[in-house]
Amino acid sequence: EALKAAQREIHQQTEQRQKFLADAAHEMRTPLTTINGLLEGLEYGAITKEDQQHSIQLMHQETGRLIRMVNETLDFEKLRTHRITLERKTFDSTAVLKNLAEQLNKKAEAKKDHILVDVPAELPVYADYDRFVQIMFNIIQNAVQFTDNGTIKVSGQLVDGGTQFKVADNGIGMT
């Protein structure tokens, strides 16, 4: 019985590790795709002189996010024991959401979608920056993926005790 229990535990841990690696690879592709697209734009002169500094800033942000993700990925013990710590801080979510919309805009335009960011000029949020970016990017990207000829509205507001965000679209919907 003890051997069977140990084998089940090993099998379960192996499955969790494989799922984690697949998820981590998916999450790392996003910043790498952004960086690669910006580099190609710079290389082929598709990015105007005025937008080059902004492109470099985006690449710097995405590179930093990627480095943080790689560092987390390498620490399997924290995952195994569920001891991932959130690095919470206050930051302006408006700037983050506008950057995400800009990153996903080409994908949206290809589907004849429009991303609308409806937030105050400054909207402070107390959260883990990388997790916030990761979650919002995934939700907005999914909205774009499942919407054709539509609008994806990203909104945020201060509420009692925190900040509330919504992503709405007129796509096929989900259960």
Side-chain angles (χ1 to χ4, degrees):
E1 287 299 314
L3 181 59
K4 285 181 183 179
Q7 287 175 333
R8 281 192 302 269
E9 176 69 21
I10 290 169
H11 179 72
Q12 184 180 22
Q13 286 186 12
T14 300
E15 284 181 351
Q16 287 176 344
R17 205 170 286 128
Q18 288 172 343
K19 181 180 181 339
F20 169 74
L21 289 173
D23 290 347
H26 173 76
E27 294 303 325
M28 288 181 209
R29 260 188 224 109
T30 299
L32 286 171
T33 300
T34 298
I35 293 166
N36 190 54
L38 290 168
L39 285 172
E40 284 181 8
L42 290 169
E43 180 180 17
Y44 295 110
I47 297 175
T48 65
K49 207 68 152 157
E50 300 81 38
D51 290 336
Q52 287 180 2
Q53 185 61 37
H54 181 67
S55 296
I56 291 168
Q57 288 172 341
L58 278 174
M59 286 188 288
H60 181 68
Q61 287 175 347
E62 291 299 295
T63 303
R65 188 162 70 100
L66 185 59
I67 289 168
R68 289 187 295 273
M69 280 194 276
V70 168
N71 288 339
E72 281 185 10
T73 303
L74 296 175
D75 197 349
F76 282 112
E77 186 59 23
K78 281 184 181 177
L79 289 171
R80 193 181 71 76
T81 58
H82 306 288
R83 291 184 301 161
I84 292 178
T85 57
L86 297 176
E87 300 295 328
R88 291 178 213 139
K89 64 181 182 177
T90 300
F91 58 91
D92 180 20
S93 63
T94 296
V96 173
L97 295 173
K98 287 182 178 181
N99 280 338
L100 291 176
E102 185 177 316
Q103 289 176 38
L104 290 166
N105 196 43
K106 283 194 180 184
K107 186 178 234 181
E109 286 176 351
K111 299 193 77 193
K112 295 185 173 79
D113 292 337
H114 174 69
I115 300 175
L116 171 66
V117 179
D118 182 22
V119 292
E122 288 187 15
L123 184 59
V125 63
Y126 180 69
D128 182 293
Y129 179 85
D130 292 328
R131 296 291 172 252
F132 179 81
V133 171
Q134 178 183 17
I135 290 166
M136 294 307 293
F137 185 92
N138 284 340
I139 293 171
I140 298 166
Q141 183 179 40
N142 285 344
V144 170
Q145 181 179 351
F146 294 105
T147 302
D148 293 311
N149 298 310
T151 299
I152 293 94
K153 182 178 179 183
V154 181
S155 59
Q157 64 182 1
L158 289 176
V159 295
D160 288 341
T163 312
Q164 180 182 64
F165 299 93
K166 295 180 183 179
V167 177
D169 62 68
N170 54 355
I172 61 172
M174 56 187 281
T175 59

